[in-house]
Amino acid sequence: MKYEAVKNYYNGQFFESAATESLDVVSPIDGNLLSRVPMSPVGELNAAVASAKTAFEGWSRTPIKERVQVFFKYRYLLEKNFDELTALVSEENGKTWDEAKAEVEKSIELTEFACSMPQLVSGEILEVSKGVECRTEHFPLGVVASIVPFNFPLMVPNWTMPNALVLGNAMIMKPSELVPLSCLRMAELLKEAGLPDGVFNIVNGGKEIVAGICEHPDINAVSFVGSTRVAKIVYRAATANLKRCVALGGAKNHLFVLPDANPTMTATNVTASMSGCAGQRCMAASAMLAVGDVDPIIDGICAEARKVVPGVNLGAVISKAAKERIEGYITEAEKAGAKVLVDGRGAVVAGKEKGTYVGPTVIDHVTPDMSVAREEIFGPVISIMRTKTIDEAVRIENANPYGNAASVFTQSGGLARYIMEHASAGMVGVNIGVPVPREPFSFGGWNDSRFGANDITGKSSIEFWTKLKKTTTKWNPEAGINWMS
Ligand code: NAD
C-alpha cells in the first residue's frame, strides 16, 4: 500500500476511523493498491458537524476581506505543490499527466474566483422613500455539505469549497470512496494557508454518510455532484429534511454536426471531447447528430480517434466494473445493428496489464432507441446518429432526459443560433466540444442533469451559499411619514 489508510479530518486534525468496513483504493493506471478508505459510521459525521458548527461562529464573523486572505495563500500553495497534486490526481483517477495538470490549473482558477468574492458580494443600498434606505447583505448559511464524484478528485471539491468558505460557511466534504486522496491533501493545504480548525472537514464513507448528511439537523445546505440516480436520492432526502440543495447529475451530451462544418476543426474537437479524461467528463461528447452528408467529417473523426492511444495520450477508466460496463454498451450496440468504426474494446497497456483501459470508440448508424443513444456511457465512446434534417436532430436531443451540454459545429451563424435556442441543455457550445462556462459564469445543466434552482459555480453559487438580509433604516426623524415609511 503506497499511502497510509485514509483518515477523516475534523477540528483541524486527522482521525483514524472506527469503521469496521473499508474499501481498497486502487490506481486505475496499473491496478496497484494505493490505500484503504473507511466506510465511516454516522457518529464520525456527528463529530465533524459539531466541529464545523463551533468553527462557524468565529469564521462567519470574520470579515470577508480577512477570510479571503486564506484563499490567496491556498491558491499559492496549489501552485507550489502543482506537480505533486498533478501526480496524485493522475494516480488515483487514472488521468494522463496533462489532464491531471489541467485539473490543478482549474482548481487554481476556481480559487481565484473565490478570492474576488469581496467585490461581488458588497450588497446594495437604495433610498426607497424620503430618508428611508433599504440595504441588502449576504449572510452565510452555517454548516454546509459537499458530496463529490470520482471523475475530478480535486476540481469538483474546488467547485464548492472555496466559494462556500469565503462566503463564511463551514463545510463537511464527502469525497468519492474511489478517489479520496486529493481531498486529504486539500485539507492539509488549507490548514497550511491558515484556515481555522473546523471550518473544513472531511468524512469518508458511502451512502450511509450521504444519508446522514441529508438528515443532519445542523447541516443547512447540501451540494451534490454525481450520477442522476444518486442526485435524485440526495435531492429528495435533503429537501424532505427542509435543506437547501443543488444536485448535479449525469449527462448525455449531443453534438450537432452540419455539412458546412470546418472538417479539421470538427474532427479534432469531437474526438477530444469524447476521449478526453477517457470520456469520464459530464461535459464529454457522447452522441453525435450527423445532419445530412457529413461522411468526410466522420472519416476525419475516425482518423483522429486512431491517434488516441491508451496509456500514451488516453488515460484509464476508473475501475474494472467501468471497463466492463463501457465494453458491454459497445457490444450491445453492435448486436443491435450499429457499425463500430473504431473499436476500443480489449485495450491493454503493456507493463500495466492490471490497468483498466478502453480505447476510443466510434459507433456509426446508431438509432435513437439503442441504449448507446439514450444512456450515459461515461467512457471514450461516441454514438453517431444520422438525420436528414436539423429539426429531426433537435427532436432526438430534446427527447433525451439529460440536459447538461450540447454543441453545434457549423460555419453558419444563423444555424448555430437556431440550435443554441432549441437545444434542451444548460450549457451550449458553437464549434466547441466541451463548452464549460468559465468563472464568473456558472456551471449547471438542465433537466435530469441538475436538480435545484442554482448552478454550482460562478456568480450563481453566491445565491446558493448565502441568504440575503434586507435592512430598512430611517435615522432622520424630520423625514415625513407617508404610507411607504
Ligand atoms: P455517483 O453518483 O456514483 O457517486 C457520487 C457520490 O455519491 C459519491 O461520493 C458516492 O459515494 C455517493 N453515492 C453513491 N451511491 C450512493 C447512494 N446510493 N446513496 C447516496 N450516496 C451515494 O457518481 P460517480 O460515479 O462518482 O461519478 C460519475 C457521475 O457523476 C457521472 O454520472 C457524471 O456525469 C456525474 N458528474 C456530473 C457532473 C455535473 O456537473 N453534472 C460533474 C461530474 C460528474
Side-chain angles (χ1 to χ4, degrees):
M1 200 158 88
K2 183 168 175 188
Y3 300 96
E4 62 176 27
V6 170
K7 293 182 174 148
N8 292 326
Y9 180 78
Y10 48 91
N11 215 7
Q13 288 176 46
F14 286 100
F15 292 92
E16 209 163 296
S17 172
T20 50
E21 195 197 338
S22 64
L23 302 176
D24 287 349
V25 181
V26 174
S27 176
I29 291 177
D30 50 17
N32 284 346
L33 181 66
L34 296 176
S35 182
R36 285 189 69 78
V37 61
M39 295 291 103
S40 308
V42 173
E44 288 169 17
L45 170 68
N46 295 340
V49 175
S51 111
K53 202 177 167 190
T54 305
F56 174 73
E57 291 304 316
W59 181 244
S60 59
R61 290 197 165 82
T62 304
I64 190 167
K65 288 276 208 184
E66 286 177 37
R67 289 198 299 254
V68 91
Q69 297 309 318
V70 173
F71 285 85
F72 280 113
K73 288 191 199 118
Y74 172 67
R75 184 214 173 278
Y76 160 75
L77 292 172
L78 288 174
E79 223 164 39
K80 187 176 165 206
N81 295 281
F82 197 98
D83 285 352
E84 182 216 320
L85 289 164
T86 302
L88 192 57
V89 166
S90 168
E91 202 171 24
E92 66 173 338
N93 175 276
K95 286 181 199 216
T96 65
W97 181 267
D98 284 349
E99 289 164 353
K101 194 170 154 235
E103 185 163 345
V104 185
E105 280 165 356
K106 186 66 198 173
S107 302
I108 291 171
E109 187 176 314
L110 288 156
T111 307
E112 286 167 354
F113 176 72
C115 289
S116 75
M117 281 294 181
Q119 279 65 45
L120 298 174
V121 295
S122 52
E124 293 176 323
I125 188 162
L126 183 72
E127 185 183 48
V128 291
S129 185
K130 187 70 190 158
V132 179
E133 283 173 358
C134 265
R135 144 191 182 160
T136 60
E137 280 171 279
H138 291 274
F139 276 69
L141 302 176
V143 180
V144 300
S146 177
I147 303 159
V148 291
F150 79 80
N151 63 328
F152 284 94
L154 191 72
M155 183 191 79
V156 171
N158 279 293
W159 272 2
T160 55
M161 181 277 292
N163 291 353
L165 266 51
V166 161
L167 291 167
N169 300 287
M171 177 172 271
I172 308 294
M173 178 72 66
K174 209 301 278 174
S176 162
E177 61 275 34
L178 299 171
V179 294
L181 302 173
S182 299
C183 268
L184 296 186
R185 198 65 190 107
M186 221 166 97
E188 286 172 349
L189 298 182
L190 284 168
K191 178 139 181 150
E192 195 180 336
L195 188 74
D197 292 348
V199 175
F200 179 70
N201 309 275
I202 300 173
V203 184
N204 290 284
K207 58 183 181 185
E208 291 75 18
I209 291 298
V210 172
I213 286 172
C214 295
E215 282 162 18
H216 203 294
D218 289 333
I219 294 180
N220 295 327
V222 177
S223 74
F224 171 88
V225 181
S227 63
T228 291
R229 182 182 67 81
V230 183
K232 286 181 180 172
I233 295 172
V234 169
Y235 190 76
R236 287 194 176 111
T239 54
N241 287 303
L242 307 179
K243 296 183 198 314
R244 190 179 284 198
C245 183
V246 63
L248 270 58
K252 185 79 189 174
N253 304 315
H254 290 67
L255 302 186
F256 296 77
V257 176
L258 310 191
D260 72 339
N262 178 302
T264 311
M265 185 178 75
T266 306
T268 51
N269 275 269
V270 171
T271 308
S273 177
M274 71 93 159
S275 65
C277 298
Q280 300 174 122
R281 280 189 291 196
C282 65
M283 295 296 279
S286 182
M288 178 176 137
L289 296 157
V291 183
D293 178 12
V294 296
D295 281 4
I297 297 176
I298 292 174
D299 290 345
I301 291 170
C302 291
E304 285 300 318
R306 290 191 186 97
K307 295 182 201 162
V308 179
V309 180
V312 179
N313 54 355
L314 178 67
V317 297
I318 190 67
S319 62
K320 196 163 168 278
K323 177 175 161 76
E324 286 168 7
R325 186 194 70 239
I326 298 161
E327 294 188 343
Y329 270 115
I330 303 167
T331 303
E332 194 186 322
E334 194 174 41
K335 280 192 190 143
K339 196 165 172 208
V340 182
L341 300 181
V342 180
D343 190 349
R345 285 171 291 185
V348 178
V349 173
K352 293 175 181 157
E353 284 75 9
K354 286 196 182 142
T356 42
Y357 296 87
V358 179
T361 300
V362 182
I363 315 178
D364 199 2
H365 299 291
V366 168
T367 51
D369 56 312
M370 293 181 190
S371 53
V372 286
R374 291 182 286 109
E375 295 172 20
E376 180 176 44
I377 301 172
F378 225 50
V381 180
I382 187 121
S383 308
I384 303 176
M385 286 173 271
R386 307 276 188 145
T387 73
K388 288 198 173 63
T389 65
I390 289 178
D391 284 331
E392 189 187 345
V394 166
R395 276 195 295 278
I396 292 171
E397 191 273 346
N398 284 185
N400 194 274
Y402 295 105
N404 220 35
S407 277
V408 52
F409 288 84
T410 179
Q411 300 195 54
S412 155
L415 294 177
R417 174 84 203 166
Y418 185 84
I419 287 175
M420 193 266 270
E421 277 180 19
H422 288 81
S424 184
M427 294 171 280
V428 181
V430 177
N431 296 322
I432 292 190
V434 187
V436 174
R438 293 175 71 168
E439 289 64 32
F441 304 107
S442 59
F443 189 103
W446 286 3
N447 312 328
D448 278 4
S449 293
R450 193 202 65 189
F451 305 98
N454 296 91
D455 285 342
I456 204 159
T457 63
K459 285 188 189 168
S460 179
S461 72
I462 299 170
E463 304 310 319
F464 185 72
W465 295 121
T466 62
K467 52 193 176 191
L468 214 52
K469 184 169 277 185
K470 288 74 59 179
T471 305
T472 307
T473 311
K474 181 167 71 179
W475 283 113
N476 49 342
E478 71 281 9
I481 305 240
N482 63 25
W483 66 273
M484 285 292 283
S485 53

